[in-house]
Amino acid sequence: VGGPWGETFVDRPQSDVYRCKAMHHLTMALLANGRVDEAMDAGWASVETLRRFHPKQHGHIMQALTQLANVYASQGKHVDALNIREEIFAGRKNYDGPGTRLAVCAALHVNNSLQKMKRYAEAKTLLRTQWMVGKRTLGIDDHLVLNVCANLTHCLSVDPASTREDL
């Protein structure tokens, strides 16, 4: 982990979650002040600290990774954001289950990155799969399932390769 944040937080043994929370708040403060590169360093230090000292705190690790992915996406670094979001989606499926609200929500974040990069074929495949899983586990009227459906129809409408059969 680069920057002074890694030296301060990762290389020193810790056992409490308060340091991780402090790094989260530091990341947010740096972002609010336009210091994006430093915020990314602090964010990665937070993730690595959680992974090292709290490896079973999957929810906290996923939250820290989501924050980083959002920072990358806000800076137009969609490939980096996609890589992190795919890791989050895989983690949510493994630890929470493939049909949980958290997994479906993570899939929507992956979809956002895919659509930003105009990778519509992958987005359509992901959304179709999540729509079926979501309908089965959450119900057809659940707001997340409806959001998946809305994202799928949007993806079909903007993809120049979509056919009439797709629609």
Side-chain angles (χ1 to χ4, degrees):
V1 178
W5 324 115
E7 296 164 12
T8 304
F9 292 104
V10 175
D11 296 336
R12 198 171 70 209
Q14 298 131 31
S15 60
D16 61 321
V17 75
Y18 297 110
R19 292 182 202 272
C20 295
K21 287 183 180 187
M23 286 192 302
H24 167 76
H25 291 294
L26 173 64
T27 303
M28 297 306 294
L30 289 167
L31 278 174
N33 287 296
R35 297 166 65 180
V36 177
D37 291 334
E38 292 172 285
M40 285 187 203
D41 287 342
W44 278 115
S46 176
V47 168
E48 293 307 318
T49 300
L50 284 166
R51 284 180 173 160
R52 183 174 175 187
F53 297 106
H54 305 286
K56 294 183 180 180
Q57 297 291 325
H58 305 294
H60 293 297
I61 294 169
M62 297 299 146
Q63 288 174 348
L65 284 169
T66 299
Q67 179 186 29
L68 272 174
N70 292 340
V71 172
Y72 279 114
S74 73
Q75 298 304 305
K77 298 177 180 181
H78 298 294
V79 173
D80 295 326
L82 176 62
N83 291 335
I84 295 170
R85 287 175 172 166
E86 286 176 334
E87 179 183 345
I88 294 165
F89 180 47
R92 289 295 185 195
K93 287 193 304 185
N94 287 338
Y95 298 116
D96 301 318
T100 61
R101 303 184 79 69
L102 292 170
V104 174
C105 190
L108 286 169
H109 290 146
V110 170
N111 165 65
N112 289 343
S113 290
L114 288 169
Q115 286 199 41
K116 290 278 185 189
M117 296 166 47
K118 301 190 184 323
R119 291 167 57 178
Y120 299 117
E122 294 172 69
K124 287 188 286 190
T125 302
L126 172 70
L127 291 169
R128 282 187 176 122
T129 303
Q130 287 304 303
W131 186 42
M132 297 307 237
V133 169
K135 282 195 311 184
R136 185 177 64 248
T137 59
L138 302 174
I140 195 156
D141 292 330
D142 185 82
H143 76 277
L144 275 177
V145 175
L146 294 172
N147 197 350
V148 169
C149 185
N151 275 273
L152 177 57
T153 56
H154 176 263
C155 186
L156 291 168
S157 69
V158 297
D159 182 10
S162 288
T163 63
R164 176 171 257 166
E165 289 78 32
D166 289 336
L167 299 172

